[in-house]
């Protein structure tokens, strides 16, 4: 059994659909069996509300939830009390935009990039409306990478936060995090990394990345939906006011007012997604047990082969950087005269699951001069057969559609 | 393409039958209509399909329609079909055609006798995510007619007050 | 098999723990097998991101998610496009406090009650800080019910919103919703009902209740955690700005700004909790298929029997209204000289799962003159054996602790 | 209570052994201490346990301790134990006892020879949600000593500047 086949065997949906060529892991990665099993085991063996119960079931729920926090901390090389469970990346980014955003003053600057997903774009536009903060953009070059030459200008000394994606969800372009961090540190700004497109490719090290906030979603890294993680440096979280109000995030409530709990609970109002966090913990534990070097090598080789295959098809315009090692295994393309939805429809009829559209990155597509594009994204369960099937499928699609 | 492949492709060739491609290519009514009574721009935010559509009415009937449509084949074919068939219809006629199209897509009903062309969209019925693509030009046209009628009502109203 | 036993058989955790007397459904109800099965079936058969894909898996995910919205709409007797999926009740209440709250002006009044859960208390305190809105409280009477005589005074003509719980999570006291709605309508105020403690006792009818917003959590009504529902009247949702920014809630995004999608998507930024919504839909479908009259009769009879049993124990002070039909099947009590945590610990050792503490309702406990209390809450799977075991367990606990 | 029941109750009687109840009842050190150098109020927000604690120090050693504790038996027993044993200790002595208590709760270690009373908390080790109850008075005392030392440092500092 090939390495990919051995991995696929652990993904129930892929096992149930052997003919499926799944190319949409950038939208949602398939769920690993251990994560699903952990959810089921939790709901059938330890379901109770957390944090407030002293009966055994509640203690078990509490232990499982806190163990998941430990897993997320290890996955990011961070401390457990710096891990906030959220509903997903979007919720995590909004949390920072609101709670850290409260500490900003009119005239302060927040820097994002033109390559951001709407989830790391709109919250800052909302903050701009709310607090008169200035929003500046790092432009992208024609290959979709960030224009590093602009950093000295864009990240000026009024900049308090630089919030960028670690990897574009459209072009796969990897951000040169070190360059961003250096430019931010020069002016004393904090750095937030949107890790939504990085976590499905292995554990991260926020200390080595030297950033201040990190956000990701469970459904992007083989775990359940409905859960995500915000990591923030302890001293930053400690200085931030809460975002949502409710049970669990308070010290005390009286009619006159309320006091805040310490982080991370300060940011986890209400009953959290308990079983989902437990499932995410299982997915992260599984990922931490993998040997990533060969997986990365395989993902890169498949990505290169895919680019190669697509390049041979007339009228296909590829987006994104060269060489393929400059990107996560995501390949987006445009075919002159054909609309991505039609392409995806004909590909689907051949068992190839791709997504077409603006991929929640309209400013990036506008910068790249396309209205919409078709995206193929790979994860560790993709194999040579997938990569061979796609160019052939596209040639056929062109035949059907033209 | 072999018959086997055809079957394996689950009818996608029916979805993109020649009629759809012909209408899309012909792009009846393409172009901005000058001196229009009403102009509507409508998006399908999830798809990125977009239509700008103008109509001129006379005594409640469409006398001219122009559109610029960016979108998938299904959306463009639907716009082109309207470009060909809309002139001569009134608001009621457009509503009837739209309802017939919805019935085709959602309930698999046959096209009405006077709108046989709508039958080309029947295979899209199986693809819920594409219904909006097909319907977008019809929705835009209904809005434009509504606008035109409100506009002429406003003019009448203004006349009245004079 | 008794009615309760037949119901218990559908709850995997209860089946796996036959000795367990579960009295904590007000914190988290156990999960119905159909909800768990729906989650597993979704993750293994239709997992994909929603709303943006045209391949079959994505269409299946979309259909399942929208079918869940339909289920929630039927459960509340509302229209599907008035159903917003959130992370839970707390998230739903914060959404209203922020998005509807944005439409309020300094000097406008929001009315809540002294009986509210912190999740319907703190968001309004935060709104008060943010927008200078006045926050007024409907006081509780010594039995925990709302002081209806105060309504004419508290709900004055500056009042824009009255946000109250349908049922107290501590005393079980049912709110006289008709009285609240009448008082609110007199001054043109909107009414929000926190349904977190009502939905586990059957489908609701927001038209008959004649309210404007309704919030509840999946984990309280036999569904998954990490998901909840906000229902709002279409014209109100249409007038409200979005709360969180991100993918899916926009019309279009440019560098200059963004436009809003129509409700409900306007309020569902980012990838929603898809499988959780699907699981919730299954739980609601199951509930809608039940014959509730006998279940309510049984729940009430058990509650009355429980109150009766507890009343015979010396030093036990019961909280909440008389007769027991004035409350949901929740019974909280205080035992002079003993702390709820110790009581719960000894009860747990006897297989009785109860929760002790402030139950996220500190203002209510302060009004009732207790620091903390022990709570027994019942759901449709509880039976006579549970109710018989509790008073005996408490007598023993007193023996161990005194 | 029969042996069988006892076993069925899974050792909860050990958790609430007589020593715990005795200490809790005795409530050593109960009451507000006047003329204290440092005063701390600490909550366990999840439980509602709450302690107000005052100390008076002399040359870095606790000479008097007073507390008012609302909370569970475990918390009250811990506060009472400190009421009895804290006088005579310095900050270091409190830190050592706290570490020993943590080791008992979290790792099941035996109590140190000079703190045999801490052994009464060993059964709480199995109940993670109760660790905070036991530790709350120790944390409050550590804060109070920190405050007292900072205060005397401040006084020294002030003296210096005079
Ligand atoms: C780069 C990036 N950021 C943020 C998001 C938002 O993640 P979610 O939808 O899980 O909140 C996504 C994925 O949709 C993404 O690709
Ligand atoms: C009355 C009431 N409102 C709100 C909530 C908050 O619900 P959740 O924690 O699921 O957000 C609860 C339960 O915790 C409750 O009982």
């Amino acid at each position: 059994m090939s390495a990919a086949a051995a991995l696929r065997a652990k993904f129930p949906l892929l096992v149930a659909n052997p003919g499926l060529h799944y190319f949409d892991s950038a939208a949602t990665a398939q769920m690993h069996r251990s994560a699903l099993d952990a959810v089921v085991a939790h709901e059938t063996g330890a379901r109770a509300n957390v944090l407030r119960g002293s009966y055994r079931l509640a203690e078990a729920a509490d232990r499982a939830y806190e163990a998941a926090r430990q897993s997320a901390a290890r996955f990011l090389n961070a401390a457990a009390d710096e891990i906030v469970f959220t509903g997903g990346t979007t919720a995590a980014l909004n949390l920072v935009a609101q709670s850290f955003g409260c500490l900003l003053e009119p005239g302060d600057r927040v820097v994002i990039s033109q390559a951001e997903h709407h989830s790391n774009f709109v919250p800052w536009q909302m903050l701009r409306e709310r607090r008169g903060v200035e929003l500046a953009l790092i432009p992208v070059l024609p290959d979709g990478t960030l224009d590093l030459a602009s950093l000295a200008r864009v990240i000026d000394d009024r900049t308090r936060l630089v919030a960028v994606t670690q990897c574009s969800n459209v072009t796969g372009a990897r951000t040169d995090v070190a360059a961003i961090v250096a430019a931010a540190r020069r002016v004393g700004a904090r750095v937030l990394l949107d890790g939504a497109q990085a976590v499905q490719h292995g554990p991260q090290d926020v200390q080595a990345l030297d950033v201040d906030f990190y956000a990701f979603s469970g459904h992007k890294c083989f775990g359940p939906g409905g859960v995500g993680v915000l990591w923030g440096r302890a001293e930053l979280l400690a200085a931030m006011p809460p975002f949502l109000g409710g049970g669990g995030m308070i010290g005390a409530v009286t009619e006159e007012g309320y006091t805040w709990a310490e982080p991370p609970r300060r940011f986890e109002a209400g009953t959290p997604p308990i079983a989902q966090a437990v499932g995410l913990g299982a997915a992260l534990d599984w990922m931490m047990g993998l040997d990533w070097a060969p997986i990365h090598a395989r993902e890169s080789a498949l990505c290169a082969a895919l680019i190669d295959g697509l390049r041979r098809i007339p009228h296909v315009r590829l987006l994104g950087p060269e060489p393929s090692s400059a990107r996560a295994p995501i390949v987006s393309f445009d075919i002159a005269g054909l609309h991505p939805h039609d392409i995806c429809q004909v590909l689907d009829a051949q068992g190839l699951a791709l997504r077409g559209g603006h991929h929640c990155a309209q400013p990036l597509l506008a910068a790249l001069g396309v209205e919409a594009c078709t995206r193929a994204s790979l994860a560790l369960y993709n194999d040579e057969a997938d990569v061979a099937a796609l160019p052939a499928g596209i040639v056929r699609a062109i035949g059907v559609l033209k | 393409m072999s018959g086997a492949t055809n079957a394996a492709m689950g009818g996608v060739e029916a979805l993109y039958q020649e009629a759809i491609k012909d209408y899309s290519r012909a792009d009846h009514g393409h172009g901005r209509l000058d001196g229009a009574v009403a102009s509507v721009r409508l998006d399908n935010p999830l798809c990125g399909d977009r239509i700008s559509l103008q109509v001129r009415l006379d005594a409640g009937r469409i006398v001219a329609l122009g559109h610029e449509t960016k979108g998938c084949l299904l959306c463009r074919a639907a716009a082109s079909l309207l470009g060909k068939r809309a002139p001569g219809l009134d608001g009621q006629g457009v509503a009837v055609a739209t309802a017939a199209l919805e019935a085709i897509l959602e309930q698999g009903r046959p096209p009405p006798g006077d709108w046989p062309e709508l039958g080309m969209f029947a295979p899209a019925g199986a693809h819920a995510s594409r219904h909006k693509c097909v319907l977008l030009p019809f929705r835009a046209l209904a809005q434009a007619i509504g606008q035109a009628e409100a506009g002429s009502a406003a003019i009448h109203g203004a006349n009245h007050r004079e």
Side-chain angles (χ1 to χ4, degrees), chain A, chain B:
Chain A
M1 192 153 57
S2 76
L7 287 165
R8 282 174 83 95
K10 303 283 193 231
F11 289 83
L13 184 136
L14 299 177
V15 170
N17 293 278
L20 176 66
H21 298 291
Y22 189 69
F23 283 104
D24 202 21
S25 296
T28 283
Q30 290 303 327
M31 193 163 174
H32 190 258
R33 183 182 298 286
S34 69
L36 190 59
D37 288 350
V39 169
V40 173
H42 185 85
E43 298 289 27
T44 58
R47 175 163 161 127
N49 216 319
V50 289
L51 292 176
R52 292 155 220 142
S54 54
Y55 55 90
R56 277 163 291 177
L57 208 56
E59 286 193 344
D62 220 356
R63 263 197 310 276
Y65 184 63
E66 295 305 324
R69 203 190 295 283
Q70 298 279 354
S71 294
R74 271 181 291 124
F75 186 79
L76 296 180
N77 188 25
D81 58 7
E82 297 177 329
I83 298 292
V84 178
F85 282 118
T86 70
T89 306
T90 302
L93 295 168
N94 278 274
L95 195 170
V96 179
Q98 294 255 6
S99 290
F100 184 81
C102 269
L103 308 176
L104 303 186
E105 300 294 335
D108 284 347
R109 180 178 272 208
V110 170
V111 172
I112 61 173
S113 90
Q114 243 176 354
E116 300 312 311
H117 187 280
H118 292 165
S119 291
N120 196 32
F121 216 108
V122 180
W124 307 109
Q125 293 182 314
M126 291 172 130
L127 175 65
R128 171 169 66 186
E129 291 164 18
R130 222 170 33 241
R131 292 193 68 84
V133 163
E134 199 183 283
L135 185 60
L137 266 70
I138 303 169
V140 292
L141 298 172
D143 70 352
T145 59
L146 303 192
D147 178 6
L148 299 180
S150 77
L151 295 185
R153 174 177 54 79
V154 178
I155 303 178
D156 68 8
D157 54 16
R158 292 165 307 155
T159 304
R160 301 284 305 275
L161 180 73
V162 182
V164 292
T165 191
Q166 197 173 356
C167 244
S168 161
N169 67 311
V170 176
T171 65
R174 293 187 212 276
T175 300
D176 183 341
V177 178
I180 301 285
V181 168
R185 295 293 180 241
R186 212 161 36 232
V187 299
R190 301 297 184 166
V191 178
L192 177 153
L193 216 51
D194 171 355
Q197 290 301 333
V199 287
Q200 57 277 65
H201 304 295
Q204 303 293 322
D205 183 339
V206 292
Q207 311 304 336
L209 289 165
D210 192 23
V211 295
D212 301 294
F213 294 106
Y214 193 96
F216 73 94
S217 296
H219 71 99
K220 303 265 192 202
C221 56
F222 319 113
V227 68
V229 166
L230 173 69
W231 167 80
R233 293 210 178 273
E235 67 274 18
L236 290 176
L237 294 181
M240 284 157 52
F243 172 31
L244 303 184
M249 52 64 72
I250 54 99
V253 179
T254 64
E255 294 178 12
E256 289 69 41
Y258 60 97
T259 61
W260 309 341
E262 293 301 307
R265 286 199 306 105
R266 184 185 299 166
F267 304 104
E268 295 182 352
T271 305
I274 304 168
Q276 292 72 36
V278 170
L280 174 56
L284 299 179
D285 286 346
W286 168 71
M287 287 179 80
M288 286 187 276
L290 295 177
D291 180 7
W292 282 93
I295 296 173
H296 286 155
R298 213 157 45 72
E299 286 180 346
S300 293
L302 290 176
C303 182
L306 188 56
I307 289 176
D308 206 51
L310 294 174
R311 215 193 291 282
R312 292 168 201 273
I313 307 172
H315 310 298
V316 168
R317 175 189 161 199
L318 290 174
L319 306 177
E322 301 278 356
S324 63
S325 62
R327 56 165 98 191
I330 297 178
V331 185
S332 288
F333 55 91
D334 181 37
I335 304 180
L338 296 188
H339 192 279
H341 286 177
D342 297 320
I343 298 169
C344 290
Q345 191 87 56
V346 186
L347 292 176
D348 177 53
Q350 304 172 66
L352 297 150
L354 280 78
R355 188 168 294 257
H358 57 57
H359 307 290
C360 296
Q362 288 178 343
L364 173 62
L365 293 205
L368 299 178
V370 290
E371 287 265 333
C373 61
T374 306
R375 177 180 72 186
S377 55
L378 304 171
L380 41 67
Y381 37 61
N382 288 108
D383 61 12
E384 289 72 14
D386 294 329
V387 163
L390 184 54
I394 290 173
V395 169
R396 274 192 187 168
I398 295 173
V400 170
L401 295 171
K402 277 225 166 137
Chain B
M1 205 167 286
S2 74
T5 304
N6 214 337
M9 287 183 64
V12 75
E13 298 193 313
L15 182 62
Y16 294 110
Q17 57 192 257
E18 287 306 322
I20 295 272
K21 293 195 271 183
D22 287 344
Y23 268 101
S24 172
R25 249 181 251 121
D27 208 5
H28 301 295
H30 171 81
R32 221 190 137 71
L33 185 69
D34 290 326
V37 187
S39 180
V40 160
R41 190 183 120 166
L42 216 57
D43 279 323
N44 185 345
L46 296 174
C47 296
D49 292 337
R50 171 176 304 168
I51 186 166
S52 297
L53 180 147
Q54 296 85 34
V55 285
R56 201 157 50 226
L57 270 68
D58 184 27
R61 288 199 180 271
I62 298 167
V63 292
L65 178 151
H67 70 90
E68 286 166 315
T69 304
K70 278 189 176 167
C72 63
L73 270 173
L74 301 177
C75 182
R76 274 157 29 217
S80 173
L81 173 61
L82 286 179
K84 184 173 173 190
R85 289 284 320 261
L89 294 180
D90 58 6
Q92 176 64 15
V94 171
V96 167
T98 306
L101 181 53
E102 286 172 344
I104 290 170
L105 292 171
E106 280 151 31
Q107 294 144 48
R109 301 275 281 278
D114 55 339
W115 277 93
E117 307 93 327
L118 291 178
M120 69 185 170
F121 297 114
H127 303 282
S129 68
R130 309 305 299 276
H131 295 186
K132 286 188 178 159
C133 310
V134 180
L135 287 163
L136 188 72
F138 286 78
R139 304 235 184 278
L141 179 55
Q143 280 195 19
I145 293 173
Q147 214 180 74
E149 287 173 350
S152 78
I155 293 168
H156 285 192
N159 283 347
H160 237 236
R161 262 181 263 122
E162 274 177 358

